[in-house]
Amino acid sequence: MSDTPAGESPTTLIATVIEKYADQLIDFRRDLHAHPELAWTEARTTGKVIDALAGTDWEVTEIAGGGLIAEIGTGERRVALRADLDALPVEDLTKDPWASTIPGVAHACGHDVHTAALVGAALAINEVQASGLLHGRVRLLFQPAEEIMPGGALHLIQAGVLDDVHQVFGLHCDPSLDVGRLGLREGPLTGAADSLFVRLGGKGGHTSRPHLTEDLTFALGKLITELPAILSRRLDPRAGVSVVWGMVQAGAAANVIPGRGTLAGTVRMLDAVAWADAEHLVRTLVGQIVAPYGVSAEVTYQRGVPPVVNDVAATAILAGAVERVLGYHGHVSTTQSLGGEDFGWYLDRIPGSMARLGTRTPGGPTYDLHQGNLRVDERATCIGARVLAEAAVAALTG
Ligand code: NI
């Protein structure tokens, strides 16, 4: 039986529950922050989530290989809320009392906030359900391994977590946006991101006689500049393709043409249609660019993630949720980034929307994600919890 006063709205109930648990949610986030776990090793974090849901009506199922789902409610309609669990191989530079205790590992992408916010949403939805105000089922997706390719989203999808799910919602911290604001966008929010590794081979020799060799360093130089150039003419420029090399290696002496060379980089773009063509095109072009020099090329192309493409109706549900929590000025429009986010795989299957959760203290410094100095304004945790709970309840009511 619920002790909720008759006639109370889900919004009031959610706000009351989150206020009640606010300190615990912030402590929960700090604990995750102090004990970060890299992709596919999130056992402690998963255990903490299970502990936090103990004593509620959530039915928890661990997924073999990593991650867990939880479900509550009855009826045909089902919506999902997703958080990611993993941290990054980055040194925590904050010196906060709850700074990482694991050398070289830190929650530098805010996934600790996402997980704590979803736990908060779970506690609120539990009360909504107990009060008879939940008109369907909610499934929570606590996903491992967002930070590596291929990410944990595919692992969960293969485990069937999207079966019979109609919509999915998620949040991602945005340290360039003030706390108390959420960035929304219909359509594409992030970019497609793949990784590319090329190994060149050829007959080396003396730099005085390039004509008797296969001048691998010259071919490598052509590849560095020609591949991005040709892609800009072979893919729709509106796709915003961006090839950036992060690693180039060949040779050891000024007067020796080497026999081997490697280069690695990322291939990013804004558009899912262009992304479908990118791998084949890159593989073909690499071979064609180095062919005149007699150099061989072996391409390893790792397809990463598609763009996150937010559904219009689902984004409207998020906007309504934000307004109920923060008022009309709580949401702002946000821009598409070239960052990769494996939430895109869920939206490749079913409609949904991801919002950017402001974590900057107004007037405070702007941090960047994936940096060891990232600090979040902790009020974002409870705001995120309320917005996620509101979105789920509204998506079932709508
Ligand atoms: Ni992230």
Side-chain angles (χ1 to χ4, degrees):
M1 287 294 287
S2 164
D3 55 4
T4 307
E8 191 164 31
S9 73
T11 294
T12 312
L13 197 50
I14 290 166
T16 306
V17 173
I18 297 300
E19 193 181 339
K20 178 177 153 194
Y21 288 108
D23 290 345
Q24 281 167 261
L25 291 173
I26 286 172
D27 285 346
F28 185 86
R29 202 288 291 189
R30 290 179 178 182
D31 177 70
L32 297 188
H33 195 88
H35 303 91
E37 295 174 303
L38 292 172
W40 300 119
T41 69
E42 303 94 334
R44 181 185 184 279
T45 309
T46 306
K48 290 288 172 184
V49 172
I50 292 171
D51 290 348
L53 299 182
T56 68
D57 291 332
W58 287 96
E59 191 178 314
V60 174
T61 308
E62 285 192 73
I63 305 294
L68 76 112
I69 64 170
E71 188 157 305
I72 201 169
T74 54
E76 286 293 302
R77 189 161 173 79
R78 184 183 272 112
V79 299
L81 303 174
R82 174 271 208 174
D84 38 13
L85 302 166
D86 55 329
L88 282 160
V90 168
E91 195 69 39
D92 193 328
L93 303 175
T94 63
K95 305 250 188 328
D96 287 329
W98 52 89
S100 172
T101 57
I102 314 292
V105 183
H107 269 294
C109 198
H111 297 189
D112 49 344
V113 176
H114 308 163
T115 300
L118 189 53
V119 164
L123 298 175
I125 292 167
N126 187 61
E127 292 301 316
V128 175
Q129 154 75 9
S131 303
L133 296 170
L134 192 71
H135 304 298
R137 297 174 193 262
V138 181
R139 182 176 289 174
L140 310 178
L141 314 178
F142 289 95
Q143 179 208 304
E146 194 284 322
E147 295 289 1
I148 61 173
M149 296 180 189
L154 286 174
H155 169 68
L156 286 200
I157 291 168
Q158 279 155 13
V161 306
L162 291 186
D163 293 354
D164 304 315
V165 174
H166 297 93
Q167 281 175 317
V168 60
F169 299 92
L171 301 174
H172 200 293
C173 289
D174 183 348
S176 69
L177 187 63
D178 281 351
V179 69
R181 296 276 184 279
L182 279 91
L184 301 181
R185 180 177 169 84
E186 294 174 353
L189 181 74
T190 62
D194 300 340
S195 63
L196 172 63
F197 188 89
V198 183
R199 190 186 308 275
L200 298 183
K203 183 184 171 200
H206 199 291
T207 53
S208 65
R209 290 180 287 279
H211 59 294
L212 300 181
T213 75
E214 287 150 0
D215 189 350
L216 183 146
T217 43
F218 192 86
L220 192 148
K222 296 293 280 187
L223 193 54
I224 289 171
T225 56
E226 284 299 302
L227 183 67
I230 300 171
L231 279 176
S232 77
R233 292 300 177 275
R234 295 290 300 276
L235 289 172
D236 187 331
R238 293 171 298 178
V241 66
S242 169
V243 178
V244 178
W245 303 108
M247 188 274 285
V248 179
Q249 289 176 337
N255 58 357
V256 179
I257 294 173
R260 306 186 68 81
T262 53
L263 62 169
T266 56
V267 182
R268 297 172 186 271
M269 65 204 71
L270 300 171
D271 180 64
V273 176
W275 186 61
D277 297 333
E279 177 177 355
H280 175 71
L281 198 51
V282 165
R283 286 182 180 280
T284 304
L285 291 175
V286 168
Q288 290 175 345
I289 291 166
V290 302
Y293 310 101
V295 169
S296 67
E298 183 189 315
V299 176
T300 304
Y301 193 101
Q302 174 70 56
R303 293 258 284 177
V305 293
V308 168
V309 181
N310 284 334
D311 173 66
V312 172
T315 306
I317 289 170
L318 268 182
V322 172
E323 286 172 26
R324 284 189 293 286
V325 175
L326 298 165
Y328 183 73
H329 296 291
H331 52 74
V332 296
S333 65
T334 189
T335 54
Q336 186 180 8
S337 79
L338 269 177
E341 161 62 70
D342 77 357
F343 193 73
W345 286 121
Y346 300 110
L347 300 189
D348 194 45
R349 309 292 202 284
I350 64 170
S353 190
M354 169 171 270
R356 295 207 171 105
L357 175 68
T359 61
R360 181 175 61 192
T361 300
T366 298
Y367 299 105
D368 199 2
L369 294 172
H370 293 204
Q371 299 296 307
N373 65 351
L374 175 72
R375 274 201 177 92
V376 299
D377 189 309
E378 293 183 307
R379 290 173 287 183
T381 302
C382 290
I383 292 170
R386 285 179 66 188
V387 169
L388 286 171
E390 287 280 352
V393 171
L396 292 175
T397 308

